[in-house]
Amino acid sequence: MSTATTATPTRTGRAAGATADYLDQRTSVGGAVKEFARKVFPDHWSFLLGEIALYSFVTILISGVFLTMFYVPSMNEVEYTGPWVTQQGLHMTEAYASTLRLSFEVRGGLLMRQIHHWAALIFVASIVVHMMRVFFTGAFRKPRELNWVVGFVLLVLSLLAGFSGYSLPDDVLSGNGLRITDGVVRSIPVIGSYLSYFIFGGEFPGTDLIPRLYTVHVLLVPALILALIGLHLLFVVLHKHTQYPGSGRTDKNVVGYPLFPVYVAKAGGFFFVVFGVIALMAATMTINPVWNYGPYDPSPVGAGAQPDWYMLFLEGALRLMPGGPTEFVIGQYTLTLNVLIPAVVVPGILFSALALYPFIEAAVTDDRREHHVLDRPRNRPFRTAFGVAILVAFFILVLAGSNDIIATHFLLSINDITYVFRVLIFVGPALAFWFTKRFCLSLQRKDRELVLHGHESARIVRFASGEYIEVHKPLDEHERWLRVQHDPLRPLEIGPAEDARGVRRKGHRLDALRARVSRVFYEDRVEPVTPAEWLAAQSHGEHDALEAPAATQAPQLTGGGRHLVEPDVQDGERRPTGGGRNLVEPTDPDGTDRRG
């Protein structure tokens, strides 16, 4: 006989329960929390890139609150009397003086400044790498096109936040960056001079810029970023998470772990890892030592005046643009092409193409289906090659923005370096595109070879007839599924220009254009292995006796690349493989879906 005992709730437990019940009755939050806690997320290291961006931004907010207590956003001039001896008696703005005070007089101020700066650099870097992962795996496809646009706007806002914060100390380095910004703004036809006057409150540098940048940096941009982060995460929950291809993973399910308690614990721990790494970097690696530059003065000019890495590509574009007769006077306006083209036109085209790419790809490929399983980059050669070409162009511009540093460190001619980069900016992306596309197609051919013939085993067998063969090790069902699950991709086929009555069909020209562009995407392709090809490859005549048992156990083929493999079948019965690793959607013998 056993007796059941019920623990008496403690006073704290009763208070917590009453509070939760009070909130649930008035907000109905209990259902939302219950639903959200059951949300399943796949487990892959690359999904942590977005979390790094989120946790870096949280670190920026925490350190930024500390800095706002001591920083003075004013351009009023004062005489410095602090402990930094080399600048005592110098006239400087209150913004720069307060930055020196933060660095040398406020306890922990320098550490917090460097935590803030390193977190900003990592924030932008993690957004860029996260978007690269989304781009190369096709995670931007329907229904996530709008979420891609949200992420793109977050990237632009992160650049604005970084640039506005970088300019606040009002030192020589940031002042030179603002001088370049003024030149870029003024190069915009018609509205450039008015826009510059509005930003700086008069002629550069004016007396209102630092307070305006401070408002943008601590109020406007963070509020927009927080709102878009919330929207971004809401889309992730609504659309369910993407997952990498593998056996048992389809567009109708998610293989992973629930948010609570697995991912809650992992996310909490990962935040402290990110914060700890940033704090360690800030404590051991100097970043932006403004005391070495001095207060802003337009007269000092020297090598090594580079902005933070995420703005260095603009610096490189400006340095590569030739001078010469690139200014034209039209009426009362001066058109400065050597600034307008590299700093406005080219970035505008590239950023617009990046923002609109999901819609462009969907239009030219006529792909209207929902996608929740990611692409392997090798299976999308054009997209992968295009992305690599853009990255190569970016890195060339970054190096070009440091041409003076390269010249002084390696004792080279800065003119020769500039000429080399001017050639590379055209040749490098083209070569990168060609090589990457060929590489992806080669990997696809290798996948076909493995599916049809298996892995080389280095086992050589001689038959009685004297023939020598190498016995290949067949792929298991999981590896085979990974290599054949993608759909065949082919250029669009359009109807005739005229209908049966000889009337020209509306929209034919647009369809013809889409067909031509789709050939650029998919004309060079490698088809996935078909069931007929796989069956033919398994028939080796007298060689069959040498193959492993799994090779002679032909799965039931249902047609199409993604249906090439089926779950393990033994004695006519389906054996579960566990852990969501079924190779096709689980169905009853009568063909009905059992997922629920």
Side-chain angles (χ1 to χ4, degrees):
M1 180 178 179
S2 61
T3 59
T5 59
T6 302
T8 303
T10 63
R11 179 178 298 179
T12 304
R14 290 195 299 269
T19 303
D21 183 64
Y22 179 88
L23 292 175
D24 186 41
Q25 290 186 28
R26 288 157 178 79
T27 63
S28 300
V29 71
V33 171
K34 183 178 180 181
E35 179 66 25
F36 191 67
R38 291 177 175 176
K39 199 71 178 178
V40 175
F41 290 90
D43 194 22
H44 194 273
W45 66 266
S46 66
F47 296 144
L48 298 178
L49 296 171
E51 294 187 31
I52 293 176
L54 175 62
Y55 301 149
S56 299
F57 184 68
V58 173
T59 304
I60 291 172
L61 293 180
I62 295 172
S63 56
V65 170
F66 178 90
L67 297 179
T68 56
M69 298 178 182
F70 303 97
Y71 175 77
V72 180
S74 171
M75 298 184 73
N76 295 329
E77 284 199 2
V78 296
E79 182 178 338
Y80 182 69
T81 58
W84 191 247
V85 179
T86 59
Q87 297 188 21
Q88 285 186 355
L90 289 180
H91 288 272
M92 58 187 65
T93 61
E94 287 189 84
Y96 184 70
S98 64
T99 304
L100 293 181
R101 184 166 61 252
L102 254 171
S103 303
F104 300 118
E105 300 179 56
V106 176
R107 181 169 297 180
L110 180 58
L111 177 64
M112 296 303 289
R113 271 195 65 232
Q114 301 205 146
I115 286 177
H116 192 74
H117 203 125
W118 278 117
L121 296 182
I122 294 176
F123 175 58
V124 181
S126 55
I127 289 179
V128 171
V129 179
H130 177 62
M131 291 190 70
M132 288 168 52
R133 196 274 303 173
V134 172
F135 180 86
F136 286 118
T137 60
F140 55 76
R141 294 171 296 172
K142 184 181 178 180
R144 298 176 180 82
E145 301 97 331
L146 293 181
N147 212 10
W148 168 266
V149 175
V150 171
F152 170 79
V153 176
L154 278 172
L155 173 62
V156 174
L157 288 175
S158 70
L159 298 179
L160 179 59
F163 179 76
S164 59
Y166 172 83
S167 304
L168 287 179
D170 199 29
D171 59 295
V172 167
L173 193 59
S174 65
N176 286 332
L178 288 173
R179 176 81 265 187
I180 295 173
T181 302
D182 179 52
V184 171
V185 171
R186 286 177 177 271
S187 71
I188 301 175
V190 183
I191 65 171
S193 57
Y194 301 104
L195 191 60
S196 172
Y197 192 89
F198 171 76
I199 293 174
F200 293 96
E203 291 295 330
F204 178 87
T207 58
D208 300 326
L209 180 62
I210 295 299
R212 292 180 179 183
L213 285 177
Y214 183 76
T215 302
V216 169
H217 183 69
V218 305
L219 180 62
L220 179 61
V221 175
L224 292 174
I225 290 178
L226 280 173
L228 289 177
I229 286 176
L231 181 60
H232 186 74
L233 295 178
L234 176 63
F235 278 141
V236 170
V237 174
L238 291 178
H239 297 152
K240 77 183 181 183
H241 209 293
T242 55
Q243 55 188 343
Y244 281 91
S247 53
R249 300 174 183 180
T250 71
D251 289 330
K252 300 179 181 179
N253 66 1
V254 178
V255 179
Y257 300 98
L259 178 68
F260 185 84
V262 178
Y263 273 100
V264 169
K266 292 176 67 175
F270 192 53
F271 166 75
F272 290 104
V273 171
V274 173
F275 182 84
V277 170
I278 294 174
L280 180 63
M281 294 173 65
T284 56
M285 292 183 283
T286 301
I287 185 75
N288 197 26
V290 295
W291 52 88
N292 287 337
Y293 310 139
Y296 177 64
D297 184 349
S299 59
V301 177
Q306 275 77 27
D308 283 336
W309 72 268
Y310 47 84
M311 300 299 294
L312 199 52
F313 75 100
L314 279 178
E315 177 84 8
L318 287 168
R319 295 189 183 194
L320 290 187
M321 185 68 184
T326 55
E327 288 191 359
F328 302 93
V329 179
I330 303 175
Q332 299 179 350
Y333 302 99
T334 301
L335 197 61
T336 310
L337 297 182
N338 61 340
V339 177
L340 180 67
I341 291 177
V344 179
V345 176
V346 174
I349 294 174
L350 292 178
F351 275 70
S352 298
L354 184 64
L356 298 176
Y357 186 86
F359 306 97
I360 296 173
E361 183 175 293
V364 301
T365 61
D366 202 27
D367 185 0
R368 308 299 179 185
R369 298 183 297 110
E370 288 194 5
H371 297 274
H372 303 290
V373 176
L374 300 173
D375 288 325
R376 300 176 77 199
R378 67 181 63 182
N379 294 332
R380 296 280 186 159
F382 176 86
R383 181 203 296 158
T384 304
F386 179 77
V388 171
I390 295 297
L391 289 177
V392 168
F394 174 80
F395 285 122
I396 290 174
L397 291 178
V398 167
L399 292 175
S402 304
N403 58 356
D404 52 347
I405 299 296
I406 298 173
T408 55
H409 279 64
F410 296 97
L411 304 179
L412 300 172
S413 167
I414 191 171
N415 292 327
D416 293 342
I417 295 172
T418 302
Y419 293 143
V420 169
F421 283 135
R422 283 176 180 172
V423 174
L424 283 179
I425 194 60
F426 294 101
V427 176
L431 289 177
F433 181 90
W434 178 84
F435 177 81
T436 303
K437 190 173 182 180
R438 294 298 106 191
F439 190 69
C440 290
L441 293 172
S442 298
L443 289 176
Q444 286 183 280
R445 294 188 184 97
K446 181 63 176 178
D447 283 345
R448 282 184 57 89
E449 179 72 16
L450 288 175
V451 171
L452 294 175
H453 304 293
H455 294 283
E456 296 181 357
S457 65
R459 179 187 171 200
I460 306 298
V461 175
R462 179 186 178 187
F463 288 98
S465 61
E467 178 187 2
Y468 287 90
I469 68 165
E470 179 185 10
V471 179
H472 284 212
K473 179 183 177 182
L475 277 63
D476 61 30
E477 289 88 345
H478 304 288
E479 187 178 2
R480 193 185 307 134
W481 171 270
L482 179 65
R483 299 181 189 277
V484 302
Q485 50 79 35
H486 60 285
D487 290 322
L489 303 171
R490 302 184 180 96
L492 290 179
E493 296 182 3
I494 61 174
E498 298 177 352
D499 59 20
R501 295 174 297 176
V503 179
R504 186 170 185 84
R505 187 167 55 85
K506 292 183 179 180
H508 175 73
R509 290 185 177 179
L510 180 59
D511 290 344
L513 175 62
R514 292 172 56 215
R516 285 196 294 269
V517 178
S518 71
R519 283 197 294 271
V520 175
F521 275 71
Y522 297 136
E523 191 168 23
D524 294 331
R525 65 188 185 277
V526 176
E527 297 281 349
V529 177
T530 63
E533 290 175 322
W534 190 88
L535 282 176
Q538 307 312 303
S539 177
H540 299 296
E542 60 178 318
H543 303 170
D544 287 344
L546 299 174
E547 301 290 344
T552 59
Q553 216 174 52
Q556 179 182 356
L557 303 176
T558 57
R562 65 168 59 249
H563 302 298
L564 181 58
V565 288
E566 292 280 337
D568 294 339
V569 178
Q570 188 175 19
D571 300 329
E573 294 184 359
R574 190 185 301 270
R575 293 190 290 108
T577 54
R581 300 289 293 176
N582 289 335
L583 296 170
V584 294
E585 301 172 13
T587 55
D588 283 330
D590 61 355
T592 58
D593 193 346
R594 293 189 289 107
R595 287 195 313 274

